[in-house]
Amino acid sequence: DAKTTQPTSMDCAEGRAANLPCNHSTISGNEYVYWYRQIHSQGPQYIIHGLKNNETNEMASLIITEDRKSSTLILPHATLRDTAVYYCIARDDKIIFGKGTRLHILP
Amino acid sequence: DSGVTQTPKHLITATGQRVTLRCSPRSGDLSVYWYQQSLDQGLQFLIQYYNGEERAKGNILERFSAQQFPDLHSELNLSSLELGDSALYFCASSPPTSGHSSYNEQFFGPGTRLTVL
């Protein structure tokens, strides 16, 4: 399984794009990159996943570098409700959560 | 609302006791996962069941056990409880895998908060 590294915390102004980085330099060819978030004490919520290509859905965009060693989750217009811990996971099968990034959205 | 239900929401018990946590997956989901989240450990994967059979094991203690029933609901049994077992316990479910990926996104329930006194 690939270990991921994320900043402990980040701030973003409300209405701006939040860009959350993740390093997964040991990722293997068949491991997907997944992003989840957890709003205080609630169950984690799936956001997006990808293998090689960039992905976009109604919640976010996922940019994966060509060498797949890092990725960035983009929340295009952050709101206060996006305040949460964001987890980047690179696994082929079961999820292993790391510490994640605590994102603070500033009014 | 993820569609995954967990009962009870809160549970307070004493050391040495045994409790059972229940999880009902989303309709159509065959996999059920259990996680433990304590303040100092983060989210820890415990165990996964797929269509009634154990599929994967994580950091699950021998005092803990789980099963998935024919109707696909799952129970997590915690025995000889210790103070350190106080935590949020999450259940998640995922649909049958499709395509070339062996994994689908997981949908988490609201959790059961266990307090051991």
Side-chain angles (χ1 to χ4, degrees), chain B:
Chain B
D1 184 359
S2 67
V4 177
T5 60
Q6 290 187 248
T7 56
K9 287 187 179 175
H10 301 277
L11 195 49
I12 301 174
T13 188
T15 54
Q17 295 299 303
R18 172 189 171 95
V19 297
T20 297
L21 312 183
R22 182 187 169 103
C23 168
S24 293
R26 295 185 328 152
S27 176
D29 286 0
L30 298 182
S31 279
V32 169
Y33 310 76
W34 285 98
Y35 294 83
Q36 178 192 56
Q37 186 172 36
S38 52
L39 278 175
D40 56 347
Q41 291 291 329
L43 267 163
Q44 299 285 319
F45 168 71
L46 296 178
I47 198 164
Q48 177 200 355
Y49 280 83
Y50 182 85
N51 204 20
E53 295 192 1
E54 183 181 303
R55 173 66 69 91
K57 238 177 184 177
N59 302 321
I60 188 166
L61 300 173
E62 285 191 10
R63 299 184 287 108
F64 297 180
S65 65
Q67 54 184 331
Q68 186 179 28
F69 294 87
D71 67 352
L72 300 177
H73 91 271
S74 177
E75 292 181 356
L76 179 67
N77 300 297
L78 314 176
S79 62
S80 302
L81 284 168
E82 302 175 359
L83 295 177
D85 297 327
S86 295
L88 267 169
Y89 290 84
F90 290 106
C91 166
S93 72
S94 66
T97 56
S98 61
H100 55 278
S101 172
S102 63
Y103 170 76
N104 269 324
E105 58 265 31
Q106 297 183 10
F107 298 87
F108 283 77
T112 292
R113 183 175 293 280
L114 173 66
T115 302
V116 182
L117 301 176

